[in-house]
């Protein structure tokens, strides 16, 4: 084994000491705070800490991407949200601005010298759909804030392999730098605090679609909406075809919009069959005080969670729940849903009237190719078992892989003392410290999708990342790292933000 | 906004006390009506206090109505429009002499102008600027403590 690589001794030990790492010949860098991931979660947390007075030299972001919004930008693009389109996020949910003021709507009104966004937001959600920002605006604002807090100076490129506890307190984070950029295969960051924001562990396909792809080695006709699938839309421009859509969430709405926009714009003859596992026919919920709107198969909700998850009653209630009670509350407010946008309603209404959009309840048992190449899905549903033929199948169910699919999280579950919450993800405290991972005076935190199922539900959203970052920053301040942001600091820092001055 | 009950009440009292007082102090001298300025100030501040005190009961009602909303949110427009019934009820109480400290109701124009100015300023503050000094306020359902 080369010097500077992990040794069997290190791999087998849950707790390392400085001598073990030195013996392996791995170079060690000291920094108080390390955040792993480098996506939106790391960015928002670093932003909060910088505003709380932590110098950039005390923070290192270990990441394999160049910009925090890179993965988010990729996912929005492939799931049919080009930059001028509006994302599904509240106007005052701004990852580039911890105060959420001015909101995106106010900024847009100022930028374009128009009152239109403000009038719109005044009428929402009664007289207008929720106003949401354009994807491109979000990226531009992130770019600005990234420069303001000196993000690039904190970024260290590489792939994080594991985080292990240090005998004298704190943690060792093992990074594999890009080939050729380091004298050794690994480098270690020794820190008192570690923050994990590694995002979604990966995509998972519906079992029948996975089996089809594996058996027929066909990755072209059965696609996931979160992977590039532009070829589907290109094919439909060349000849009429049928697309089968699986899933009733926001991504299915986006894909439908793209298919129907193309149909309208280019005069295509695309046929759409939409299969819902749960077909919602109207308002639904356990009682009058918990009923969500629905219809035509969809469950309707403005954002990924009921709004009060980010600060109101649901946030307060969930914070007090443990175990099965918490899981039950998650189930009650959960379920696939999409916003009821006027444009989408109109498009689907036209589709139903024209007979080119058909929605049905069902679960696919099997998918196979017919002799002419058409895909046949055997669907078992309320109306019995039927065969549905299509040229393409787009999986919009957005299933996510288990957290243990992620190497760092798997290692943490095995060696780091971490456990799972009632939904099977990483169990964190109310202040987002990963339960069971404390090490001396150090602490290990996690935020984002990894922690779904905790005391705070909206983790995988812009505002959720900010709520986590606030809890983490406050906890760090209690431990003497950085300052608690009080009203005066908050106001002076906001003025700096508004003027575009560095923190 | 996504308030909890305590947050509604705290935010109302805080914003009326801070923003409401400033607006009342500025606007009272130019409001229609006669009499010594000290008396007009006295009446104006009692009216402001009544909005806060009655508001606790109003907030209980709004909280109840909010339970019928799946999102458990209170859209900005609701926050603005609820000023109308509140103003009407307060005016009727003033006319009936039911507000302690105000023997004769102020001129209707003075009342409407003061109420509208205070209500709009408080509503605007709650919909944005409040978040600047109070970073945790929006995540606590409007609670300040």
């Amino acid at each position: 084994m080369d010097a500077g690589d992990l040794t069997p001794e290190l791999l087998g030990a849950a707790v390392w000491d400085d001598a073990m790492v030195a013996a392996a010949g791995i170079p060690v860098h000291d920094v108080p705070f390390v955040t792993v991931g480098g996506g939106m979660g790391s960015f928002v947390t670093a932003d909060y800490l910088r505003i709380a007075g932590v110098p950039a030299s005390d923070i290192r972001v270990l990441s394999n991407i160049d910009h925090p919004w890179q993965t988010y930008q990729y996912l929005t693009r492939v799931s049919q949200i080009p930059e001028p389109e509006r994302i599904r996020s509240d106007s005052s949910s701004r990852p580039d601005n911890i105060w959420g003021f001015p909101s995106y709507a106010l900024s847009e009104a100022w930028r374009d010298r128009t009152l239109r966004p403000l009038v719109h937001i005044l009428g929402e959600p009664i007289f207008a759909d929720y106003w949401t920002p354009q994807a491109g605006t979000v990226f531009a604002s992130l770019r600005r804030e990234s420069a303001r807090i000196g993000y690039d100076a904190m970024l260290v490129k590489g792939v994080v392999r594991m985080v292990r506890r240090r005998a004298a307190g704190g943690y060792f984070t093992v990074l594999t730098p890009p080939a050729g950029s380091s004298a050794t295969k690994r480098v270690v960051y020794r820190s008192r605090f570690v923050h994990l924001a590694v995002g979604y562990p990966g995509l998972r396909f519906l079992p029948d679609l996975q089996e089809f792809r594996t058996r027929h080695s066909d990755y072209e006709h059965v696609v996931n909406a979160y992977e590039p699938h532009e070829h589907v839309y290109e094919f439909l421009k060349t000849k009429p075809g049928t697309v089968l859509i699986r899933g009733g969430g926001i991504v299915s709405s986006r894909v439908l919009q793209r298919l129907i926009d193309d149909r309208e714009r280019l005069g295509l003859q695309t046929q759409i069959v939409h299969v819902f596992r749960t077909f919602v026919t109207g308002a639904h919920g356990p009682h009058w005080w918990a009923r969500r709107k629905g219809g035509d198969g969809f469950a309707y909700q403005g954002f990924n969670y009921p709004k009060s998850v980010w600060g109101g009653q649901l946030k307060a209630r969930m914070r007090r729940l443990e175990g099965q009670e918490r899981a039950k509350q998650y189930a009650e407010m959960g379920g696939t849903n999409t916003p009821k946008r006027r444009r989408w309603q109109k498009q689907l209404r036209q589709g139903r009237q024209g007979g080119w959009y058909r929605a049905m309840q069902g679960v696919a048992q099997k998918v196979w190719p017919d002799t002419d190449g058409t895909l046949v899905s055997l669907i078992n549903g309320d109306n019995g078992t039927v065969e549905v033929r299509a040229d393409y199948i787009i999986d919009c169910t957005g299933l996510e892989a288990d957290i243990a699919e992620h190497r760092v999280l798997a290692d943490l579950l095995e060696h780091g003392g971490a456990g799972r919450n009632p939904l099977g993800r990483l169990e964190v405290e109310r202040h987002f410290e990963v339960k069971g991972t404390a090490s001396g005076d150090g602490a290990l935190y996690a935020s984002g999708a990894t922690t779904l199922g905790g005391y705070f539900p909206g983790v995988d959203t812009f505002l959720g990342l900010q709520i986590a970052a606030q809890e983490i920053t406050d906890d760090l301040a209690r431990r003497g790292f950085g300052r608690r942001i009080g009203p005066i600091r908050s106001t002076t820092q906001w003025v700096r933000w508004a003027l575009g001055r560095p923190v | 906004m996504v308030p909890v009950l305590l947050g509604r009440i705290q935010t109302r009292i805080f914003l009326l006390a801070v923003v409401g007082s400033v607006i009342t102090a500025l606007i009272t001298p130019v409001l229609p009506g006669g009499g010594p300025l000290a008396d007009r100030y006295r009446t104006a501040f009692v009216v402001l206090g009544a909005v806060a005190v009655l508001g606790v009961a109003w907030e209980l009602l709004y909280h109840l109505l909010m339970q019928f909303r799946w999102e458990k949110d209170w859209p900005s427009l609701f926050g603005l429009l609820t000023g109308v019934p509140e103003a009407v009820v307060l005016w009727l109480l003033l006319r009936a002499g039911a507000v302690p400290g105000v023997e004769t109701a102020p001129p209707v124009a003075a009342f409407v102008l003061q109420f509208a100015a205070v209500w709009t300023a408080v509503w605007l503050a709650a919909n944005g600027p409040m978040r600047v000094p109070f970073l945790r306020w929006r995540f606590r359902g409007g609670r300040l403590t």
Side-chain angles (χ1 to χ4, degrees):
Chain A
M1 185 173 294
D2 301 334
D5 199 357
L6 293 163
T7 60
E9 187 196 10
L10 287 173
L11 286 169
V15 179
W16 299 353
D17 61 33
D18 295 351
M20 287 162 75
V21 179
I26 306 177
V28 175
H29 299 276
D30 284 301
V31 64
F33 184 90
V34 161
T35 171
V36 177
M40 297 299 296
S42 288
F43 175 76
V44 165
T45 308
D47 192 34
Y48 241 100
L49 285 171
R50 294 285 288 118
I51 291 168
V54 177
S57 57
D58 280 0
I59 302 172
R60 283 294 168 269
V61 182
L62 310 185
S63 174
N64 61 354
I65 53 176
D66 294 317
H67 312 292
W69 55 89
Q70 201 166 316
T71 306
Y72 180 75
Q73 190 171 25
Y74 168 80
L75 289 172
T76 49
R77 196 174 61 236
V78 296
S79 66
Q80 303 308 310
I81 315 177
E83 294 207 357
E85 275 290 328
R86 295 187 181 272
I87 62 168
R88 186 193 197 184
S89 187
D90 187 63
S91 169
S92 54
S93 172
R94 289 189 70 149
D96 68 308
N97 172 319
I98 67 170
W99 304 269
F101 179 77
S103 64
Y104 276 126
L106 190 51
S107 289
E108 191 174 302
W110 179 259
R111 185 193 68 199
D112 299 344
R113 299 288 186 271
T114 168
L115 286 174
R116 192 170 292 164
L118 300 178
V119 172
H120 185 132
I121 217 159
L122 181 64
E124 78 173 29
I126 316 292
F127 301 109
D129 298 336
Y130 278 111
W131 189 95
T132 62
Q134 289 171 315
T137 305
V138 176
F139 304 137
S141 70
L142 286 166
R143 200 169 287 125
R144 173 186 181 268
E145 183 67 354
S146 172
R148 198 180 75 88
I149 64 166
Y151 183 85
D152 289 350
M154 299 184 274
L155 179 65
V156 179
K157 291 291 294 285
V159 177
V160 172
R161 170 71 177 78
M162 60 180 61
V163 179
R164 292 280 171 100
R165 282 172 288 178
R166 175 171 173 261
Y171 305 86
F172 293 107
T173 303
V174 180
L175 179 85
T176 311
S181 67
S182 164
T184 54
K185 186 176 176 191
R186 321 275 188 185
V187 293
V188 158
Y189 280 81
R190 182 167 52 197
S191 63
R192 188 176 159 203
F193 304 107
V194 173
H195 170 241
L196 300 178
V198 297
Y200 299 96
L203 288 175
R204 191 155 61 87
F205 276 82
L206 288 162
D208 57 297
L209 298 183
Q210 186 57 53
E211 196 206 316
F212 174 89
R213 279 167 66 121
T214 315
R215 178 182 289 187
H216 301 285
S217 297
D218 182 346
Y219 296 88
E220 188 193 336
H221 294 94
V222 171
V223 295
N224 190 300
Y226 277 118
E227 62 184 1
H229 60 279
E230 194 62 27
H231 64 273
V232 177
Y233 309 109
E234 289 304 318
F235 169 86
L236 294 167
K237 288 178 192 167
T238 61
K239 66 185 242 189
T242 302
V243 178
L244 175 68
I245 290 178
R246 306 267 297 266
I250 176 86
V251 176
S252 74
S253 296
R254 300 277 187 201
V255 168
L256 284 169
Q257 183 193 333
R258 171 69 195 270
L259 289 168
I260 302 173
D261 280 352
D262 281 2
R263 211 177 185 283
E264 289 168 358
R265 198 164 47 90
L266 306 166
L268 307 182
Q269 295 301 311
T270 311
Q271 299 281 321
I272 304 165
V273 183
H274 194 169
V275 179
F276 296 80
R277 190 184 58 181
T278 307
F279 194 93
V280 181
T281 52
H284 53 290
H287 50 81
W288 271 108
W289 284 6
R291 288 180 81 75
R292 178 163 55 193
K293 285 181 187 160
D296 298 316
F298 298 96
Y300 295 124
Q301 188 170 284
F303 305 101
N304 349 18
Y305 299 91
K307 272 192 107 174
S308 63
V309 144
W310 291 283
Q313 281 178 238
L314 260 173
K315 180 171 186 280
R317 188 182 308 150
M318 197 68 96
R319 209 174 159 83
R320 294 190 297 265
L321 300 181
E322 300 283 352
Q324 283 314 303
E325 266 195 310
R326 205 195 304 161
K328 194 173 150 232
Q329 183 70 55
Y330 268 95
E332 196 172 294
M333 69 171 189
T336 309
N337 60 74
T338 194
K340 190 177 185 180
R341 294 192 180 163
R342 285 161 170 82
R343 180 177 176 193
W344 295 346
Q345 292 287 316
K346 189 177 161 210
Q347 286 187 325
L348 293 186
R349 203 162 43 238
Q350 285 169 346
R352 280 188 289 271
Q353 283 162 0
W356 46 263
Y357 170 76
R358 287 184 294 132
M360 60 190 286
Q361 189 280 327
V363 176
Q365 305 297 314
K366 197 178 163 198
V367 180
W368 68 92
D370 204 350
T371 45
D372 64 351
T374 331
L375 307 177
V376 186
S377 300
L378 189 68
I379 292 174
N380 209 344
D382 291 344
N383 299 323
T385 303
V386 289
E387 284 185 10
V388 177
R389 301 172 70 84
D391 299 292
Y392 288 94
I393 298 176
I394 306 181
D395 177 1
C396 301
T397 51
L399 291 180
E400 290 163 33
D402 184 76
I403 55 165
E405 298 281 318
H406 196 286
R407 215 173 184 191
V408 175
L409 300 180
D411 192 83
L412 199 68
L413 288 166
E414 192 180 348
H415 299 285
R420 290 173 185 264
N421 66 30
L423 296 194
R425 309 245 180 138
L426 215 52
E427 176 79 322
V428 292
E429 301 279 3
R430 290 172 182 83
H431 58 276
F432 290 87
E433 182 180 357
V434 181
K435 282 188 184 176
T437 59
S439 174
D441 67 348
L444 189 148
Y445 305 90
S447 54
T450 321
T451 65
L452 183 71
Y455 297 104
F456 167 70
V459 285
D460 51 342
T461 66
F462 288 163
L463 210 46
L465 291 171
Q466 284 185 327
I467 288 171
Q470 185 177 87
E471 296 277 0
I472 292 167
T473 305
D474 284 354
D475 189 59
L476 287 166
R478 282 191 288 272
R479 294 168 190 266
F481 183 71
R483 276 180 273 176
R484 185 181 154 85
I485 309 173
I488 293 170
R489 184 171 188 85
S490 184
T491 307
T492 54
Q493 283 296 322
W494 181 83
V495 171
R496 299 192 77 84
W497 180 91
L499 297 173
R501 298 243 176 91
V503 288
Chain B
M1 293 176 73
V2 284
V4 295
L5 180 58
L6 198 58
R8 285 177 169 278
I9 295 169
Q10 286 186 6
T11 300
R12 171 183 290 249
I13 292 171
F14 177 82
L15 284 177
L16 284 174
V18 178
V19 180
S21 294
V22 171
I23 299 290
T24 302
L26 292 175
I27 203 175
T28 303
V30 295
L31 288 177
L37 188 60
D39 288 353
R40 283 155 60 195
Y41 262 123
R42 199 177 119 84
T43 304
F45 273 94
V46 171
V47 167
L48 183 68
V51 178
V53 173
L54 286 175
V56 176
W58 281 109
E59 294 296 358
L60 288 170
L61 174 68
Y62 302 152
H63 185 72
L64 175 73
L65 294 174
M66 190 176 76
Q67 300 312 309
F68 291 94
R69 293 183 59 75
W70 163 257
E71 309 269 353
K72 304 286 182 278
D73 65 334
W74 199 244
S76 300
L77 188 63
F78 291 10
L80 188 63
L81 295 183
T82 45
V84 177
E86 289 203 28
V88 170
V89 169
L90 181 55
W91 176 248
L92 293 176
L93 290 171
L94 285 165
R95 284 279 301 274
V99 178
V102 183
E103 281 166 20
T104 43
V108 66
F111 172 78
V112 169
L113 284 173
Q114 187 203 347
F115 192 98
V118 168
W119 192 266
T120 310
V122 164
W123 175 78
L124 283 174
N127 275 286
M130 184 72 178
R131 302 199 288 258
V132 171
F134 304 108
L135 196 52
R136 294 163 192 85
W137 170 78
R138 64 169 166 160
F139 301 140
R140 289 183 182 167
R143 283 192 302 121
L144 284 158
T145 58

